[in-house]
């Protein structure tokens, strides 16, 4: 109905109403081809020609992928519109010469985005990120891709350090505003930088490696010149606010299943983690919002549930909703120097995660393991210790078992060869059947990654007082190969993720039911950042909130699969599976789904009123994607 209302408003010439309806449709049905086509029509009518070209091109991309028939557009109509908009642009430029420069700049961005299909169909690994390139992303973010350290120049999958470029050229003047670290990356090897400070004699600085940032410390203005050209990143101001923590850490461990850890004992499978967080707060009933990383993590940083952010499609990319508050923006605005050490392609710039990250260090997940990430983090923490730091650290080592790849030495060395039988490779990492062998491998992987975390724990304890830091560890989902036969896909083995905190928190175990949508509320409160607001998240009672949750919900909204939901609450778990599967563009036909209500012991419960209540909540959550 939003699409039809938008079409009607366009026909009436009411462009403001058309925009309102079509943007509402795009928010809730991001994969709807007609919406993109009508937005192209809207921008064409407003003479926003390059924007119109962008949306008509997106229609072509999505139409080719989804196929099918649509209400208002076809490939033929779209191709004709692209020709018409280019003709209109040429006429406009001929009669308005002052528009030529504007069109050229917009067309340069359009050509770059069109080359990577506007990031709709390409993931981080497929995009062409070359050292020395300035990368453009769909939300307007630009990043210079520098090599993290010299050895990366000799790697087929180099580790990159991506900073916001503030200057490209051969002569740069820094005005001097307090003590800073000024990142400078020459374009060629053995570059000769001629540096003239405001006070003192000029001198030369040889910069050996190309496209590698050196951080120059200065407390005065200076001028840098070089015949080879160079890039300057944003200065890092070496100041600290006493009202903030000296350091705040979000350690994201992909696939951290708390149900298994509780059964095996944290002190046994992760003794270093147990020793560190036993002086903080360990949350036993923390639930993720979805069953895999892409739809799960947006809830951590926006507080939106899956039906709200709708980042669900395994092929068509969607960025974090522009209208949502984000954790990273809050931390940066509070005064933290923000950094991300990331091996996870689903939390990359493609999806909008790095927009408010000052320093982004990333590498392919096969190369960037805990044993490489932790030393890089320690170096960063020590180098930037004169700032208030916020670090997001992503570790993917636990995903090896589900990905069915070669396991680390420390993991495989503890497994009897009889536990390493080859089997037919699974179609996907999140639909694997119960396996005792994989469970045992997972336990060894927990122990292996725990050893890598020890240096990080020790550094924090030795350099910061308990009130000077906040350290959180969390997972985005569990593992389906831990679920016993006949267990639901969203059982606690998959939906109950780990959540541990230390620094300025109560000490002990917490049984309160907490959702991943609450994470940003919690972290901003502990880090003394501005109060966080979101559509679904809240501040739990244990952290000063005014009430406890009655349940935490985990959902699967995945094209080609059944919709599934799990409501976990004190004393019960409710599971729902839809009758029909979702369409390729994320819509669902209504029907009679299957329900299962279990008590705390895993036995069936008889409570028709509770079942009816949860069924009504599901209808409310899916109202925008139902096919009526």
């Amino acid at each position: 109905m939003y699409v039809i209302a938008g079409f009607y408003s366009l026909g009436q010439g009411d462009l403001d109403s058309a925009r309102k309806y079509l943007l509402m449709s795009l928010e809730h049905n991001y994969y709807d081809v007609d919406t993109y086509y009508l937005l192209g029509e809207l921008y064409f009518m407003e003479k926003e020609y390059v924007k119109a070209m962008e949306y008509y091109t997106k229609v072509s991309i999505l139409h080719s992928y989804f196929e099918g028939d649509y209400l208002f557009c076809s490939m033929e109509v779209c191709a004709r519109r692209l020709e018409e908009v280019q003709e209109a642009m040429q006429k406009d430029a001929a009669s308005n010469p002052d528009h030529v420069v504007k069109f050229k700049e917009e067309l340069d961005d359009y050509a770059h985005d069109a080359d990577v299909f506007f990031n709709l169909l390409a993931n981080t690994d497929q995009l062409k990120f070359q050292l020395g390139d300035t990368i453009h992303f769909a939300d307007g973010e630009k990043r210079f891709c520098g090599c993290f350290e010299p050895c990366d120049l000799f790697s087929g999958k180099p580790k990159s350090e991506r900073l916001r470029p503030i200057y490209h050229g051969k002569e740069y003047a820094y005005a001097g505003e307090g003590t800073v670290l000024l990142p400078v990356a020459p374009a060629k090897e053995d570059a000769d930088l001629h540096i003239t400070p405001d006070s003192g004699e000029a001198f030369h600085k040889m910069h050996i490696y190309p496209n590698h940032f050196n951080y120059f410390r200065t407390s005065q203005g200076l001028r840098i010149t070089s015949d080879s050209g160079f890039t300057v990143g944003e200065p890092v101001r070496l100041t600290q606010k006493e009202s903030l923590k000296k350091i705040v850490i979000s350690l994201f461990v992909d696939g951290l299943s708390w149900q298994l850890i509780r059964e095996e004992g944290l002190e046994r499978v992760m003794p270093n983690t147990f020793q560190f967080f036993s002086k903080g707060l360990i949350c036993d009933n923390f639930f993720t919002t979805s069953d895999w990383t892409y739809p799960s993590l947006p809830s951590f940083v926006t507080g939106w549930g899956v039906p709200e952010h709708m980042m669900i499609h395994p092929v068509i990319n969607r960025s974090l909703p522009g209208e949502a508050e984000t954790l990273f923006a809050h931390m940066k605005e509070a005064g933290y120097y923000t950094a991300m050490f990331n091996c996870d392609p689903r939390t990359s710039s493609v999806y909008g995660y790095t927009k408010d990250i000052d320093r982004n260090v990333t590498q392919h997940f096969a190369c960037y393991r805990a044993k490489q990430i932790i030393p890089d983090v320690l170096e960063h923490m020590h180098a930037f210790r004169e700032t208030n730091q916020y670090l997001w650290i992503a570790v993917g080592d636990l995903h090896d078992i589900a990905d069915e790849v070669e396991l680390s030495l420390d993991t495989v060395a503890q497994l009897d060869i009889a536990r390493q039988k080859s089997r037919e490779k699974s179609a996907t990492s999140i639909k694997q059947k119960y396996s005792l062998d994989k469970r045992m491998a997972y336990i060894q992987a927990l122990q292996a990654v725990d050893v890598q975390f020890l240096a990080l724990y020790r550094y924090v304890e030795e350099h910061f007082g308990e009130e000077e830091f906040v350290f959180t560890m969390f997972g985005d989902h569990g593992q389906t190969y831990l679920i016993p036969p006949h267990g639901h896909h969203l059982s606690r083995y998959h939906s109950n993720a780990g959540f541990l905190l230390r620094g300025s928190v109560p000490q002990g175990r917490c049984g309160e039911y907490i959702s991943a949508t609450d994470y940003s509320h919690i972290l901003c409160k502990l880090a003394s950042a501005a109060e966080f607001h979101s559509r679904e998240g809240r501040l739990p009672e244990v952290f000063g909130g005014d009430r406890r949750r009655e349940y935490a919900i985990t959902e699967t909204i995945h094209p080609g699969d059944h919709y599934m939901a799990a409501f976990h609450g004190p004393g019960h778990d409710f599971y729902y599976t839809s009758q029909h599967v979702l369409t390729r563009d994320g819509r669902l036909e209504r029907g009679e789904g299957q329900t299962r209500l279990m008590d705390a012991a895993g036995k069936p419960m008889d409570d028709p009123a509770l079942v009816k209540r949860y069924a009504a909540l599901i209808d409310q959550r899916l109202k925008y994607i139902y096919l009526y």
Side-chain angles (χ1 to χ4, degrees):
M1 295 305 298
Y2 285 131
V3 180
I4 294 170
F7 173 76
Y8 176 79
S9 297
L10 284 175
Q12 296 296 308
D14 184 357
L15 302 189
D16 289 339
S17 294
R19 180 181 291 100
K20 180 184 72 173
Y21 290 129
L22 294 173
L23 291 180
M24 184 70 77
S25 175
L26 193 66
E27 177 184 345
H28 296 294
N29 294 288
Y30 185 76
Y31 313 98
D32 181 72
V33 175
D34 279 316
T35 301
Y36 284 90
Y37 173 73
L38 293 177
L39 281 167
E41 297 282 88
L42 171 68
Y43 292 122
F44 196 178
M45 294 171 71
E46 292 183 328
K47 299 184 179 180
E48 291 285 343
Y49 297 125
V50 179
K51 198 73 174 173
M53 287 174 60
E54 173 189 334
Y55 275 85
Y56 290 138
T57 305
K58 286 179 177 179
V59 170
S60 301
I61 295 168
L62 295 175
H63 197 296
S64 298
Y65 179 78
F66 290 129
E67 299 176 339
D69 297 322
Y70 297 94
L71 288 173
F72 302 115
C73 76
S74 66
M75 292 293 281
E76 293 77 14
V77 170
C78 199
R80 187 166 64 248
R81 281 287 193 265
L82 278 169
E83 293 177 359
E84 292 171 357
V85 74
Q86 292 178 58
E87 292 172 0
M89 191 187 311
Q90 291 172 355
K91 291 180 181 178
D92 188 303
S95 58
N96 298 284
D98 56 318
H99 289 184
V100 173
V101 174
K102 171 179 176 289
F103 284 153
K104 183 181 184 306
E105 292 175 349
E106 292 178 347
L107 284 170
D108 285 345
D109 288 341
Y110 166 82
H112 179 278
D113 293 340
D115 187 49
V116 293
F117 303 106
F118 295 92
N119 295 330
L120 286 173
L121 292 173
N123 64 33
T124 305
D125 298 327
Q126 294 168 334
L127 294 177
K128 299 174 183 177
F129 293 161
Q130 299 294 330
L131 298 181
D133 285 352
T134 297
I135 312 163
H136 299 235
F137 294 101
D139 60 2
E141 179 187 1
K142 294 182 181 180
R143 293 281 171 152
F144 179 81
C145 190
C147 73
F148 180 74
E149 52 194 2
C151 65
D152 295 310
L153 294 169
F154 307 97
S155 171
K157 294 185 180 296
K159 187 190 310 177
S160 64
E161 177 181 6
R162 300 173 187 177
L163 304 184
R164 296 185 195 88
I166 62 172
Y167 176 79
H168 293 289
K170 297 184 177 182
E171 182 174 345
Y172 174 75
Y174 171 65
E177 300 175 3
T179 304
V180 302
L181 295 176
L182 188 67
V184 179
K188 296 181 179 179
E189 64 181 342
D190 296 329
D192 182 15
L193 300 179
H194 186 73
I195 300 175
T196 307
D198 285 351
S199 61
E201 296 183 357
F203 60 91
H204 290 266
K205 164 69 178 173
M206 181 64 71
H207 194 119
I208 300 174
Y209 300 105
N211 300 315
H212 169 61
F213 282 108
N214 265 343
Y215 286 77
F216 298 141
R217 187 185 187 99
T218 181
S219 56
Q220 61 176 309
L222 49 81
R223 187 165 62 92
I224 304 174
T225 61
S226 176
D227 292 339
S228 61
F230 54 90
T231 296
V232 180
E234 290 182 331
V236 183
R237 305 196 180 281
L238 301 181
T239 59
Q240 282 188 339
K241 290 184 179 181
E242 292 186 2
S243 59
L244 302 179
K245 303 296 180 183
K246 288 186 177 180
I247 193 162
V248 179
I249 297 173
S250 294
L251 178 54
F252 157 47
V253 183
D254 198 332
L256 188 65
S257 175
W258 192 246
Q259 179 69 14
L260 175 134
I261 292 173
R262 288 181 70 184
E263 292 175 354
E264 296 291 334
L266 178 63
E267 65 278 11
R268 187 177 81 83
V269 295
M270 301 184 80
N272 298 313
T273 299
F274 172 76
Q275 183 181 34
F276 182 79
F277 285 106
S278 62
K279 299 173 185 176
L281 186 66
I282 299 174
C283 300
D284 287 320
N285 290 308
F286 178 80
F287 291 88
T288 186
T289 57
S290 195
D291 60 341
W292 65 295
T293 303
Y294 178 51
S296 175
L297 279 182
S299 299
F300 283 84
V301 301
T302 67
W304 289 23
V306 182
E308 292 290 347
H309 65 66
M310 285 299 285
M311 295 173 69
I312 62 166
H313 205 288
V315 177
I316 309 297
N317 295 329
R318 181 177 189 178
S319 294
L320 294 170
E323 60 273 30
E325 294 186 16
T326 68
L327 171 63
F328 304 127
H330 267 56
M331 298 299 286
K332 183 172 175 59
E333 290 167 7
Y336 286 96
Y337 179 62
T338 57
M340 175 181 284
F341 291 80
N342 189 32
C343 64
D344 196 316
R346 291 296 186 176
T347 53
S348 72
S349 299
V350 171
Y351 306 107
Y353 282 89
T354 63
K355 187 174 182 180
D356 295 290
I357 295 294
D358 296 311
R359 188 177 189 229
N360 178 25
V361 177
T362 185
Q363 190 176 26
H364 191 278
F365 59 84
C367 306
Y368 211 27
R369 316 286 295 172
K371 62 185 178 183
Q372 286 89 23
I373 293 172
I374 300 305
D376 289 346
V377 169
L378 294 176
E379 178 188 58
H380 175 96
M381 291 167 65
H382 201 66
F384 298 101
R385 60 189 178 276
E386 295 164 88
T387 68
N388 301 101
Q389 301 183 53
Y390 172 64
L391 284 80
W392 176 282
I393 307 164
V395 174
D397 295 41
L398 295 184
H399 225 286
D400 289 351
I401 296 98
D403 290 338
E404 297 172 331
V405 298
E406 296 288 348
L407 304 181
S408 70
L409 169 62
D410 198 12
T411 300
V412 76
Q414 305 303 318
L415 295 172
D416 189 279
I417 193 170
R419 293 292 182 186
Q420 302 178 44
K421 303 171 186 175
S422 294
R423 295 176 174 81
E424 182 179 352
K425 191 170 179 64
S426 303
T428 175
S429 64
I430 62 168
K431 295 181 180 178
Q432 298 184 3
K433 296 179 180 179
Y434 175 78
S435 168
L436 179 59
D437 290 346
K438 288 184 177 180
R439 179 186 173 108
M440 296 180 69
Y442 184 78
I443 292 170
Q444 297 303 325
L446 287 169
Q447 295 176 346
V449 79
D450 182 62
V451 171
Q452 302 298 333
F453 292 158
L454 178 58
L456 182 58
Y457 298 150
R458 284 183 174 173
Y459 185 92
V460 171
E461 287 184 318
E462 291 174 2
H463 289 81
F464 303 100
E466 205 70 27
E467 296 301 316
E468 293 179 327
F469 74 90
V470 174
F471 194 134
T472 66
M473 175 192 284
F474 62 91
D476 59 335
H477 59 77
Q479 308 291 345
T480 54
Y481 57 74
L482 301 175
I483 303 173
H486 310 299
H488 195 273
H489 177 72
L490 296 180
S491 82
R492 289 179 177 243
Y493 287 101
H494 203 178
S495 57
N496 184 193
F499 185 39
L500 307 92
L501 309 92
R502 184 172 168 188
S504 307
V505 295
Q507 186 173 345
R509 303 290 284 240
C510 174
E512 183 175 354
Y513 279 72
I514 300 173
S515 168
T517 58
D518 304 334
Y519 181 78
S520 289
H521 294 258
I522 297 166
L523 202 69
C524 286
K525 173 68 181 297
L526 297 177
S528 302
E531 182 181 357
F532 197 82
H533 300 92
S534 71
R535 293 187 176 180
E536 290 199 17
R538 66 173 65 161
L539 189 66
E541 187 179 70
V542 68
F543 300 106
D546 57 5
R547 69 187 191 281
R548 293 189 169 211
R549 285 185 172 275
E550 297 180 48
Y551 59 83
I553 182 171
T554 306
E555 295 168 282
T556 296
I557 303 178
H558 192 283
D561 288 350
H562 295 274
Y563 167 80
M564 287 178 277
F567 291 80
H568 300 286
H572 70 274
D573 297 305
F574 173 80
Y575 299 104
Y576 174 87
T577 303
S578 67
Q579 178 181 349
H580 304 287
V581 299
L582 282 101
T583 62
R584 293 186 73 192
D585 57 354
R587 307 299 297 277
L588 180 65
E589 182 180 348
R590 300 187 70 171
E592 294 295 325
Q594 297 178 350
T595 62
R596 188 190 306 176
L597 183 62
M598 318 293 288
D599 63 17
K603 301 294 181 62
M605 283 179 62
D606 184 21
D607 190 336
L610 189 58
V611 171
K612 184 177 180 180
R613 179 193 176 202
Y614 283 143
L617 285 171
I618 289 170
D619 281 342
Q620 177 66 19
R621 297 182 70 80
L622 300 185
K623 62 185 179 181
Y624 291 114
I625 67 172
Y626 274 144
L627 290 165
Y628 291 95

